[in-house]
Amino acid sequence: CSNYSPITSVTAAASTGQKIVLSGTTAGNANRLLLYSPVSDSAIALDGDIGEIEIYHLSYSESSNKVYFDGLRMADNQYVLGEVDLSTNSAEVVSTTPNKVTDVVAL
């Protein structure tokens, strides 16, 4: 990831065809969500507006061109469900719960 803080420890990944969505931590222990292109060896951040989330699962839906995720939001210790629209590279949290989600399945 030459143009953004690289993920040094990957916790989840989802292939989107030519690119890969990666979640994990940087060398400074910050949780990140990146869209990585192996062809250009570059990445863009997908987590700019959602805050720091420790992501547990990623699932890609080709029909919607979205990546769905669940994880723990660090700011308030809430479990969240969210989605990344790969057409706009924008992420949003769509639901919060005090209970851990056990699995995410893309429809």
Side-chain angles (χ1 to χ4, degrees):
C1 302
S2 56
N3 65 352
Y4 193 73
S5 299
I7 291 176
T8 56
S9 178
V10 174
T11 56
S15 173
T16 65
Q18 301 254 336
K19 298 181 180 178
I20 304 166
V21 176
L22 299 168
S23 68
T25 55
T26 65
N29 264 349
N31 290 291
R32 289 283 165 243
L33 181 63
L34 302 177
L35 180 62
Y36 175 67
S37 170
V39 173
S40 63
D41 189 30
S42 64
I44 59 170
L46 298 174
D47 54 5
D49 294 334
I50 59 173
E52 188 175 355
I53 298 174
E54 181 180 9
I55 293 177
Y56 301 127
H57 304 97
L58 291 170
S59 183
Y60 174 65
S61 170
E62 185 176 1
S63 63
S64 67
N65 197 32
K66 292 184 179 182
V67 173
Y68 300 93
F69 63 87
D70 73 299
L72 179 66
R73 185 169 49 199
M74 300 311 208
D76 59 5
N77 213 28
Q78 291 283 307
Y79 290 98
V80 299
L81 297 175
E83 63 185 28
V84 179
D85 184 336
L86 294 177
S87 300
T88 61
N89 292 333
S90 61
E92 69 175 314
V93 171
V94 295
S95 175
T96 62
T97 177
N99 302 316
K100 185 175 181 179
V101 177
T102 57
D103 205 1
V104 173
V105 178
L107 303 175

